[in-house]
Amino acid sequence: MRVLMVCLGNICRSPMAEGILRDLAATRGIDLAVDSAATYAGHEGEAPDPRAQAEMKKRGHSIQRIRSRPLTPADFDRFDRIFVMDKSNYLNAQAIAPNTVAAGKVHLFLNQAWPGKDLEVPDPYFGGQQGFERVYTLLERASEAFLDSIDEQR
Ligand code: 4NP
């Protein structure tokens, strides 16, 4: 399965989500291709925010080699699931989707852990390191729940 993580800048939440899900899938022996992208291209080519890198390093993950890139219509063919971090990302991704089947691949990531609640991963960009800790905790919970659902289907 191929999974794409999407947020606004692709420098804070979605690269963290990519790193967490990739590493947890590998630990469980689940074959998953994970990538991430932005709905806003303003940080294209940039490495993850230093605060995101620091939080991930503290938890034993490396995301330093990820570079921000914009979400494109072609991504909807390449990926089976497109997980967005908040409702604004959801609407932006829907607008980029080339057709209704593609639009149906977009889901709020936290619904994996809290089905139907439509919870959002708060944007940590304009806050301190604490926000990144909170983001990590939420993303880890959603990643484990998603992998549980894959394990149950195997
Ligand atoms: P992200 O965080 O969407 O989690 O990567 C942000 C990155 C950049 C901006 C906002 C949020 N920005 O306004 O440039």
Side-chain angles (χ1 to χ4, degrees):
M1 194 191 304
R2 299 178 62 83
V3 176
L4 186 65
M5 298 295 191
V6 171
C7 64
L8 180 63
N10 192 207
I11 55 170
C12 298
R13 292 166 292 178
S14 62
M16 290 177 70
E18 175 186 338
I20 292 167
L21 184 62
R22 178 185 289 130
D23 289 350
L24 293 180
T27 300
R28 293 194 192 205
I30 295 175
D31 183 22
L32 215 61
V34 190
D35 194 8
S36 60
T39 59
Y40 160 67
H43 292 275
E44 188 168 2
E46 290 181 21
D49 186 283
R51 297 164 295 175
Q53 290 197 41
E55 188 60 34
M56 292 293 281
K57 192 173 176 188
K58 193 173 91 187
R59 311 286 196 137
H61 307 271
S62 169
I63 55 168
Q64 66 197 26
R65 291 203 299 269
I66 296 174
R67 293 294 176 269
S68 176
R69 67 146 179 111
L71 178 67
T72 68
D75 285 317
F76 290 81
D77 292 327
R78 293 195 198 106
F79 293 92
D80 305 298
R81 291 278 201 110
I82 298 178
F83 285 129
V84 293
M85 300 298 125
D86 63 32
K87 293 171 189 171
S88 166
N89 307 153
Y90 184 86
L91 293 173
N92 291 332
Q94 293 279 331
I96 296 167
N99 54 57
T100 52
V101 173
K105 294 182 174 183
V106 183
H107 304 273
L108 281 170
F109 189 40
L110 294 190
N111 275 346
Q112 294 300 308
W114 296 279
K117 293 257 192 289
D118 289 352
L119 298 178
E120 303 182 293
V121 182
D123 184 347
Y125 188 68
F126 294 104
Q129 194 67 37
Q130 267 186 350
F132 287 81
E133 269 188 53
R134 174 78 182 138
V135 166
Y136 185 93
T137 302
L138 292 169
L139 293 175
E140 186 181 47
R141 289 277 294 273
S143 295
E144 295 284 18
F146 177 56
L147 294 171
D148 286 347
S149 73
I150 293 176
D151 269 333
E152 281 162 19
Q153 287 164 31
R154 290 209 291 183

